[in-house]
Every structure is written in C-alpha cells, then in structure tokens.
C-alpha cells in the first residue's frame, strides 16, 4: 500500500487551508471506499501530518488533530500541500521545506493547492518548472519566485510528478485529477458525480479580476497605467504613449514589463477586456455596443482578444454571468 501525506503547514494556515484538508480527506476517503467496493485491494494510506502536535484554532473556529508528524514519516509517495498564507520563512517552515525536498529526492510526487504553491516554490524544486496558483497572487508569486514558470491562467499543471492548481475551491478539481491518476477514470467520474465537481476543467481565466500591478515605484509607468485606464474607449498606440512620456519605445516597453509583468499592449488589452466583462455581466448592452465602448471596431479582433484573456467568447461570457441573458421576453 502506498502513502499519501496531506500537509498541515503550521504558521501559514487560514480557513482556506482547513477547507482544502477537510475536502481532500473526504473525497479521497470516498474514492478509496469506492475502489475497494469494486473488489480491489486498498491502494493508499492517507495521513494528515504537520511539524508539531500543538493544535492551533483557525479564526477561533476550528483546529485539526494531526495523524502524524512529518519527522516520523521516513518515506511518502505523494505530498499534498493545501492552500496556505504566503509569509516569511521561520525555523519551522524551513524544517517543512527541507522535509519536502528530502521526500522529493526520494521519489515522492508533490501536489500544491492554490497559494500552497508558495510553499512548494520556497523549496527550490519548482525553479524552471511550470506552476499555477490563485490569480490574485500572480504578481506576488512572480516577484518572489522569478525562476518559476507561472501559468496563472491554467487550472492544473502536471510536470514530471509535480502538480499545481489555481485558486480557492478549485482544489476540488485537483483532487479529482489526482484520483484519476492514482486510481482510474471510473473512480474519478464516480467522485465527480457524488461531490458534484466538474470534470476536466482546464482554465481559471474566466474567474480572473484584473487590477494591474501598481506597487512598483516607477512613476512614469504608473502615469502610463492611469492614462490607459482613463482612456478605455481609445485605440491606444504604444508609440504615441511612449512619445507622450518622452521616452523611447524600447525603453518604455522594458520599464513597463519590469514594473507590471505585462507589455503596454497586453496591459491595455486586459484593462479593456476587464471593462467589457463588467458591462457584459451587469448591463443589457449588446456585444457590439460593449466592443465599441472599450475601443474596438473589429468584431473578430475583439472576440479573439476576449477569448485569449478569459477562455470564453463574449457571448459565452455574457450567457454565463449575466442573469438577464436568460430572461425570456
């Protein structure tokens, strides 16, 4: 029988951490029961393990009783890191990082949920590898771990035995994904039906709320960002924008990318599409009306940029998020 360790990251826990742990235990327990009911032998032993036995109450609401301490686990086959609060390293967190590295070097696979990617990246294992995390943490993650290839639009990444997933309760999709990997497709389908979790979701792009990176200290870039945001209905030329701030195009691009993580064109597109999303969510405006309001005149171009950023067409997005789109007249 193989071994799964569900990590309890002391000092980095919030209610999201607890939700990940409880949800994972419940679904994996059901998967194991279904597997044995089909006449198969048990495959995995699951334990919740932490650094120390002390119980910490999260939000004065709930505390978890550990099954084991990581120091007592000599070898595990899969480590699952739940959502966790990013923060400074402590002596305890360094012990956790060291243990994860040791287990990985001994052949363990690793899965991180949501902001648990910060713990995984802190081990150094992810340098040069693909990773996802909650879209709201993307800028902070890139700043702290520039060597990691972050794909915050992806719901799940899978690279050489390391799995990561996007934000919040999308950890449920990762659990189903792991069940298919560690059991089979039929067990994954069964659990998806029992817990009503959508199978085979691949993107979290439609959930992203773009706000832009503003905490960078480059006043010229901040002024350019403000100009873009205040002139959504204009077709903005990057050449004209760089001239407006008396800076060469190449240097303007370089500073903008360094400050925001986006090219000026990408930033303008994201600002425009975020405004279009809000209009599609909350008004009765047609797709064309929204398109013109955010500075596009070509339907095909607007549709392509919208799908690239959200993973959906404008019409699909409106049907998904605008309640009035379902009203029959």
């Amino acid at each position: 029988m193989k071994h799964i360790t569900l990590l309890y990251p002391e000092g980095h826990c919030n209610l999201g951490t607890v939700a990940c742990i409880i949800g994972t235990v419940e679904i994996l327990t059901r998967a194991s029961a279904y597997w044995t009911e089909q006449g198969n032998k048990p495959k995995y032993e699951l334990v919740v393990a932490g650094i120390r036995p002390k119980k910490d109450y999260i939000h004065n609401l709930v505390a978890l009783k550990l099954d084991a301490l990581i120091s007592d686990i000599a070898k595990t086959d899969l480590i699952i890191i739940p959502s966790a609060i990013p923060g400074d390293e402590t002596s305890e967190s360094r012990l956790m990082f060291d243990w994860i590295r040791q287990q990985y070097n001994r052949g363990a696979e690793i899965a991180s949920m949501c902001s648990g990617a910060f713990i995984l990246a802190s081990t150094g294992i992810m340098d040069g590898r693909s990773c996802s995390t909650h879209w709201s943490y993307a800028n902070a993650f890139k700043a702290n771990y520039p060597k990691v290839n972050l794909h915050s639009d992806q719901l799940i990444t899978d690279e050489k035995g390391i799995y990561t997933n996007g934000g919040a309760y999308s950890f449920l999709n990762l659990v189903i994904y792991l069940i298919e990997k560690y059991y089979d497709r039929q067990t994954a389908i069964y659990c998806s039906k029992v817990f009503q979790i959508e199978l085979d979701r691949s993107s979290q792009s439609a959930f992203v709320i773009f706000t832009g990176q503003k905490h960078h200290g480059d006043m010229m870039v901040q002024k350019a960002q403000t100009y873009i945001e205040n002139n959504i209905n204009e077709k903005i030329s990057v050449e004209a924008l760089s001239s407006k701030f008396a800076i060469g195009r190449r240097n303007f691009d370089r500073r903008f990318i360094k400050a925001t993580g986006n090219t000026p064109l990408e930033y303008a597109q994201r600002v425009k599409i975020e405004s279009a999303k809000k209009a599609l969510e909350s008004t009765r405006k047609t797709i064309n009306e929204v398109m013109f309001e955010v500075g596009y005149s070509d339907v095909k171009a607007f549709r392509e940029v919208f799908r690239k950023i959200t993973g959906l067409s404008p019409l699909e997005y409106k049907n998904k998020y605008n309640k009035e789109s379902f009203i029959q007249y």
Side-chain angles (χ1 to χ4, degrees):
M1 187 183 295
K2 293 191 175 182
H3 190 277
I4 299 175
T5 302
L6 180 48
L7 196 63
Y8 181 75
E10 286 98 336
H12 297 270
C13 299
N14 58 15
L15 289 177
T17 312
V18 177
C20 285
I21 292 173
I22 292 174
T24 300
V25 169
E26 183 177 16
I27 299 169
L28 288 181
T29 300
R30 181 63 71 92
S32 179
Y34 176 80
W35 179 257
T36 55
E37 286 165 6
Q38 308 312 304
N40 302 303
K41 292 181 179 179
K43 273 189 120 176
Y44 297 97
E45 175 192 10
L46 172 65
V47 299
V48 178
I51 300 166
R52 52 191 171 88
K54 180 182 175 183
K55 288 198 293 186
D56 291 325
Y57 278 86
I58 309 300
H59 283 246
N60 295 317
L61 181 64
V62 62
L64 298 180
K65 182 176 181 292
L66 302 179
D67 298 315
L69 300 180
I70 58 173
S71 57
D72 296 328
I73 300 174
K75 188 177 188 309
T76 191
D77 296 288
L78 172 66
I79 301 167
I80 300 176
I81 305 171
S83 172
I85 304 170
D88 297 331
E89 287 190 15
T90 63
S91 58
E92 288 186 335
S93 62
R94 282 190 288 272
L95 286 173
M96 180 169 56
F97 302 155
D98 289 343
W99 181 80
I100 293 170
R101 273 192 298 267
Q102 289 168 3
Q103 293 299 323
Y104 176 71
N105 291 334
R106 292 171 185 169
E109 294 192 329
I110 307 173
S112 72
M113 298 170 166
C114 189
S115 51
F118 282 77
I119 290 177
L120 180 54
S122 294
T123 66
I125 292 171
M126 294 304 293
D127 289 357
R129 295 178 183 268
S130 297
C131 183
S132 185
T133 190
H134 196 291
W135 55 263
S136 67
Y137 286 121
N139 290 330
F141 190 93
K142 288 176 184 176
N144 282 282
Y145 308 106
K147 295 181 180 179
V148 180
N149 301 324
L150 183 67
H151 301 282
S152 55
D153 59 322
Q154 294 185 22
L155 190 71
I156 294 172
T157 66
D158 177 345
E159 186 176 347
K160 297 180 180 178
I162 296 182
Y163 315 95
T164 70
N165 97 285
Y169 284 76
S170 70
F171 80 87
L172 297 168
N173 299 96
L174 178 61
V175 176
I176 296 297
Y177 186 86
L178 292 173
I179 287 171
E180 183 170 357
K181 282 269 185 180
Y182 279 70
Y183 288 92
D184 59 15
R185 177 72 173 180
Q186 192 55 47
T187 307
I189 291 172
Y190 171 78
C191 289
S192 76
K193 290 180 176 179
V194 169
F195 294 100
Q196 300 187 37
I197 303 166
E198 185 179 349
L199 271 174
D200 302 326
R201 253 187 69 204
S202 61
S203 174
Q204 61 174 343
S205 296
F207 298 93
V208 174
I209 301 171
F210 183 73
T211 55
Q213 163 66 297
K214 299 287 181 68
H215 304 292
H216 48 69
D218 190 323
M219 293 303 297
M220 184 276 293
V221 173
Q222 287 183 353
K223 289 178 181 178
Q225 288 174 275
T226 300
Y227 181 87
I228 291 170
E229 292 162 7
N230 289 342
N231 295 274
I232 290 173
N233 62 334
E234 291 186 12
K235 186 175 182 180
I236 294 174
S237 161
V238 179
E239 286 80 4
L241 195 58
S242 60
S243 296
K244 180 178 180 64
F245 295 99
I247 185 172
R249 167 69 189 270
R250 182 174 297 180
N251 194 28
F252 179 68
D253 282 352
R254 180 187 60 79
R255 284 175 62 177
F256 205 100
I257 293 169
K258 182 180 179 181
T260 70
N262 298 113
T263 67
L265 178 60
E266 289 169 342
Y267 192 89
Q269 288 176 338
R270 287 186 173 275
V271 168
K272 288 173 179 291
I273 296 305
E274 191 62 34
S275 179
K277 284 162 58 181
K278 290 176 182 176
L280 293 173
E281 291 165 5
S282 59
T283 72
R284 296 188 179 187
K285 292 176 182 176
T286 66
I287 304 297
N288 282 353
E289 286 174 328
V290 171
M291 176 187 74
F292 289 128
E293 283 187 357
V294 297
Y296 283 89
S297 56
D298 185 318
V299 175
K300 183 180 178 182
F302 176 65
R303 188 187 298 117
E304 287 178 353
V305 173
F306 196 98
R307 184 178 288 280
K308 176 185 174 184
I309 291 175
T310 69
L312 301 171
S313 72
L315 183 59
E316 288 170 338
Y317 190 90
K318 183 176 183 179
N319 288 339
K320 187 178 181 70
Y321 288 107
N322 192 317
K323 191 174 181 180
E324 291 189 356
S325 67
F326 293 100
I327 295 176
Q328 300 295 319
Y329 294 97

